Amino acid sequence: MDKLVSLCKRRGFIFQSSEVYGGLNSCYDYGPMGVELKNNIKSCWWRAMTYHHDNIEGVDASILMHPRVWEASGHVAGFTDPLVDCKACKARFRADHVATSQCPRKPSKAPGEHHECKLTEPRLFNLMFKTFMGPVEDQAAVVFLRPETAQGIFVNFLNVVNSSRQKLPFGIAQIGKAFRNEVTPGNFIFRTREFEQMEMQFFVRPGEDEEWFEKWRAERLAWHQEIGIRPEKLRWHPHGPSELAHYAKAAFDVEYEFPFGWQEIEGIHNRTDFDLARHQEYSGKRLSYFDEARKEHYVPYVIETSVGCDRVLLTTLVDAYHEEQAGEEVRVVLRLSPKIAPIKAAILPLVKKDGLPEIAAGITKDLMRDHRVFYDDVASVGKRYRRQDEVGTPYCITVDSQTLVDQTVTVRERDTMAQERIAATALREYLAARVRFD
Ligand code: ATP
């Protein structure tokens, strides 16, 4: 992980937030490469959900919501983690993570195992961030930063039904920030207090929920593979009765094998009619659906797919990071899928003379209308290749003296380092066929 964290900083993927002030714990900023990668991941998810399903609509709800939303959803009463303090070293741990955490005094032991440890009994700690709306900091103005994006979908259920005229089964998708005052954030961007979620709530007739749960499970696992994650690094973790959230009838996590162990990257939940029924009860507004074919009203069941964008981004980086011997040197290469790679192609004039830079600049200008590409004429071509390998650029296009003769260029593929000559005029098509998310 240390090598990856340092590459992320050096090559402009991820920086510590407010670094010049010493940083802010668990908060991170995405740099030029990071923001491209993140946008590409979001776009792959959005396309997979909304473009590829004509029965899924999108929304973008506000982060601040009516405080009653969080009473109805159960978050005010129950969105808590059990917290234990160590009175000896003042560290705090999530009670359910103690066994896998490190004692700050003796990292080879778990908290409580060192003879000086003095762990308290677990006490519940609400993870929601509170803030105040308006100028007066009194109780009436307390609002929360949303701890999940899902509730913005539930409270808009009828608005979407009425405006889009969708019929069940149908879904609503959303990408947005969520905030949790995590007891123990860590492992770089794996667990942070501010993060982005990509969630989809699929509304179905009660009784059809189990079938849809299985369909979404299969589809979501396939998506992780489609964006390039190695299948052998992914597995399912079914939730046992003690792990199930208060709203869930069934839940499966997609887990990835990180250097720090198998961890959840996405949850698929059968939320039943819990959320809509609770909002109906707390708001006093009817939130049922009229099934015209059956001539009956009912509160739909919900299958939820919930994935953290930052966690997927970390997964793609961990999965892609490779070091390999290339001649005398160790080559660091990010084998990112071309669909999500921040830069799709680098355009490199072999030398800075004979009109080659002008031709390369012309190719860059032509390609940049469709893709994020990068022109580089500094240092030897070998060094330029290495720089692109490190940020995962799948194709390097080199303009050389042969280009002057027959208007062809070489295209070097990142993973195999194989080179082929193609006509410069064929580049747009060549790239489009390889980097598109279909
Ligand atoms: P955990 O048990 O790890 O705290 P959770 O089961 O509470 O996670 P969910 O509420 O199911 O997580 O959230 C759905 C997804 O949102 C997770 O699979 C993860 O990808 C992402 N996520 C949740 N909490 C965080 C966080 N603190 N930082 C980054 N991503 C998060």
Side-chain angles (χ1 to χ4, degrees):
M1 278 302 281
D2 291 348
K3 284 184 181 168
L4 183 67
V5 174
S6 113
L7 178 123
C8 281
K9 176 164 185 202
R10 188 160 37 87
R11 299 312 317 273
F13 281 92
I14 301 167
F15 310 125
Q16 176 75 61
S17 160
S18 323
E19 198 183 83
V20 290
Y21 288 99
L24 181 65
N25 186 20
S26 109
C27 295
Y28 292 92
D29 300 339
Y30 290 91
M33 291 300 116
V35 70
E36 290 294 336
L37 178 58
K38 199 173 186 195
N39 283 343
N40 292 342
I41 290 170
K42 287 196 269 191
S43 156
C44 283
W45 185 87
W46 191 256
R47 292 178 72 88
M49 285 300 177
T50 64
Y51 292 20
H52 298 178
H53 296 96
D54 57 9
N55 60 352
I56 299 187
E57 304 285 347
V59 296
D60 182 6
S62 72
I63 288 172
L64 301 177
M65 301 180 74
H66 195 289
R68 290 277 284 165
V69 166
W70 307 110
E71 289 173 30
S73 68
H75 284 81
V76 170
F79 194 54
T80 49
D81 270 345
L83 172 79
V84 291
D85 289 291
C86 177
K87 295 213 155 155
C89 68
K90 310 285 177 231
R92 289 186 153 175
F93 310 94
R94 239 170 87 166
D96 53 336
H97 286 179
V98 164
T100 51
S101 304
Q102 292 179 328
C103 167
R105 295 204 172 172
K106 186 107 176 136
S108 59
K109 292 189 183 268
E113 288 178 358
H114 187 255
H115 66 277
E116 285 173 7
C117 293
K118 280 193 197 140
L119 297 191
T120 61
E121 284 300 309
R123 62 197 165 86
L124 293 177
F125 170 76
N126 195 298
L127 300 184
M128 280 200 294
F129 276 96
K130 267 186 200 163
T131 188
F132 299 92
M133 197 140 163
V136 187
E137 288 197 9
D138 65 4
Q139 194 59 22
V142 166
V143 288
F144 299 100
L145 302 187
R146 66 181 176 196
E148 62 176 22
T149 56
Q151 299 304 324
I153 289 180
F154 294 126
V155 298
N156 276 305
F157 168 66
L158 277 191
N159 284 336
V160 175
V161 171
N162 294 335
S163 58
S164 68
R165 305 183 59 217
Q166 286 281 2
K167 295 198 176 5
L168 252 58
F170 83 96
I172 306 179
Q174 173 168 222
I175 300 178
K177 289 263 183 173
F179 302 81
R180 298 182 186 179
N181 202 0
E182 297 278 1
V183 177
T184 43
N187 285 325
F188 197 28
I189 58 166
F190 177 80
R191 187 181 302 284
T192 52
R193 295 190 170 113
E194 171 182 345
F195 55 97
E196 221 163 341
Q197 286 188 314
M198 307 188 286
E199 294 199 301
M200 193 278 298
Q201 269 67 38
F202 201 74
F203 300 88
V204 303
R205 199 165 74 83
E208 293 176 4
D209 49 310
E210 289 177 14
E211 183 190 331
W212 280 105
F213 184 75
E214 291 308 320
K215 278 193 187 148
W216 280 110
R217 228 155 62 73
E219 193 158 322
R220 291 306 305 149
L221 185 68
W223 181 82
H224 290 279
Q225 295 172 17
E226 274 164 39
I227 62 162
I229 307 300
R230 287 169 291 172
E232 66 272 22
K233 292 279 182 179
L234 294 166
R235 74 173 188 196
W236 284 112
H237 167 72
H239 281 212
S242 63
E243 280 176 288
L244 277 181
H246 59 277
Y247 52 75
K249 171 175 160 187
F252 272 72
D253 294 338
V254 179
E255 290 189 338
Y256 178 80
E257 190 178 18
F258 288 96
F260 44 89
W262 286 95
Q263 298 286 344
E264 167 181 347
I265 53 174
E266 169 155 7
I268 322 293
H269 310 124
N270 182 341
R271 290 182 81 127
T272 69
D273 60 358
F274 177 85
D275 302 88
L276 287 178
R278 292 273 288 201
H279 286 305
Q280 188 163 263
E281 181 190 335
Y282 278 66
S283 68
K285 304 267 159 46
R286 190 171 187 178
L287 293 179
S288 61
Y289 170 82
F290 181 62
D291 188 327
E292 274 169 32
R294 295 172 173 268
K295 302 277 178 261
E296 58 179 1
H297 280 277
Y298 51 82
V299 177
Y301 267 38
V302 171
I303 306 304
E304 166 181 81
T305 72
S306 174
V307 61
C309 179
D310 313 78
R311 238 177 234 190
V312 170
L313 189 142
L314 180 63
T315 310
T316 61
L317 288 174
V318 166
D319 205 63
Y321 186 92
H322 284 86
E323 286 180 7
E324 59 190 33
Q325 203 64 39
E328 302 281 279
E329 297 172 38
V330 174
R331 173 169 98 116
V332 173
V333 53
L334 284 187
R335 296 189 194 278
L336 290 169
S337 158
K339 294 171 193 171
I340 58 167
I343 294 175
K344 306 304 182 190
I347 300 93
L348 320 171
L350 189 63
V351 289
K352 266 208 258 187
K353 56 179 187 182
D354 303 334
L356 302 188
E358 288 75 14
I359 297 173
I363 292 174
T364 308
K365 208 169 164 201
D366 185 39
L367 294 178
M368 72 202 285
R369 297 187 163 278
D370 296 329
H371 309 288
R372 192 81 167 120
V373 294
F374 183 76
Y375 172 90
D376 188 7
D377 62 12
V378 179
S380 73
V381 79
K383 278 209 178 114
R384 284 181 270 166
Y385 284 156
R386 296 287 176 274
R387 282 205 287 261
Q388 294 306 319
D389 288 344
E390 272 198 336
V391 296
T393 306
Y395 303 104
C396 283
I397 298 162
T398 306
V399 174
D400 56 20
S401 53
Q402 184 72 25
T403 314
L404 298 171
V405 179
D406 60 8
Q407 289 79 50
T408 62
V409 292
T410 58
V411 181
R412 170 198 183 257
E413 201 272 332
R414 176 197 65 204
D415 297 343
T416 57
M417 295 192 276
Q419 305 199 4
E420 60 179 314
R421 274 209 97 82
I422 68 166
T425 49
L427 279 170
R428 266 177 105 157
E429 215 175 306
Y430 180 95
L431 271 190
R434 286 162 178 78
V435 304
R436 206 179 48 222
F437 178 83
D438 328 274

